[in-house]
Amino acid sequence: MWKWLVRIGIVGIAVFALIQLVPYGWTHSNPPVVRDAPWPDVESEAIARESCYSCHSNETDWPAYSYVAPMSWLVRADVDKARDEFNFSDWDESGDDADKAFDVIEDGEMPLPRYTMIHRSARLTDAEAQILLAALDQMDDHD
């Protein structure tokens, strides 16, 4: 029995080592901020920076686990998709979608549960969500 467990362990370590060679997820870029979102107040900006900016901006903080596969693949894919959907760092491009951001926050779809499971401080309280929603609504009206 121990012989099989050792073999399985060795194979597992070898597979883990080999997947580190897959190049996707190795590079982590933070392109320049084109035009940051015009936050109406410091409080709403702080909430967005804590709960949204890690994926939805060009100011991503790349944690250590984002350099180790397979987590690096998931993190990189999430950030790429999030920036494509809505990017606070390119307001000229994304500002017209503030109403969509409003909707996903209002529906409780953002931030993603798999993100807040690790980053508990990114969870939005009801009060924080209301502040963020009010700010997005105001920014959408004054775009």
Side-chain angles (χ1 to χ4, degrees), residues 36-48 53 88 91 98 130-142:
D36 197 21
W39 295 103
D41 56 73
V42 174
E43 186 178 23
S44 60
E45 180 177 4
I47 293 168
Y53 269 56
F88 287 108
W91 193 254
Q130 290 308 311
I131 292 167
L132 193 53
L133 290 171
L136 285 167
D137 188 45
Q138 185 177 346
M139 293 175 348
D140 188 38
D141 290 343
H142 295 84

Side-chain angles (χ1 to χ4, degrees), residues 115-126:
Y115 182 75
T116 58
M117 186 182 338
I118 297 170
H119 304 276
R120 295 194 184 274
S121 62
R123 290 182 180 165
L124 292 172
T125 64
D126 290 341

Side-chain angles (χ1 to χ4, degrees), residues 71-104:
M71 282 299 291
S72 61
W73 305 339
L74 177 63
V75 173
R76 174 72 187 276
D78 282 352
V79 171
D80 286 350
K81 182 178 179 190
R83 286 177 178 172
D84 285 344
E85 290 288 323
F86 189 83
N87 190 335
F88 287 108
S89 297
D90 192 355
W91 193 254
D92 292 335
E93 188 71 31
S94 291
D96 290 339
D97 292 331
D99 59 330
K100 292 177 187 171
F102 182 100
D103 291 342
V104 295

Side-chain angles (χ1 to χ4, degrees), residues 20-91:
Q20 302 312 310
L21 300 176
V22 175
Y24 182 74
W26 284 0
T27 58
H28 299 107
S29 67
N30 277 334
V33 173
V34 177
R35 179 175 165 233
D36 197 21
W39 295 103
D41 56 73
V42 174
E43 186 178 23
S44 60
E45 180 177 4
I47 293 168
R49 286 187 178 278
E50 181 67 37
S51 298
C52 311
Y53 269 56
S54 279
C55 296
H56 292 279
S57 79
N58 294 347
E59 301 176 53
T60 301
D61 178 27
W62 299 98
Y65 63 80
S66 71
Y67 292 90
V68 180
M71 282 299 291
S72 61
W73 305 339
L74 177 63
V75 173
R76 174 72 187 276
D78 282 352
V79 171
D80 286 350
K81 182 178 179 190
R83 286 177 178 172
D84 285 344
E85 290 288 323
F86 189 83
N87 190 335
F88 287 108
S89 297
D90 192 355
W91 193 254

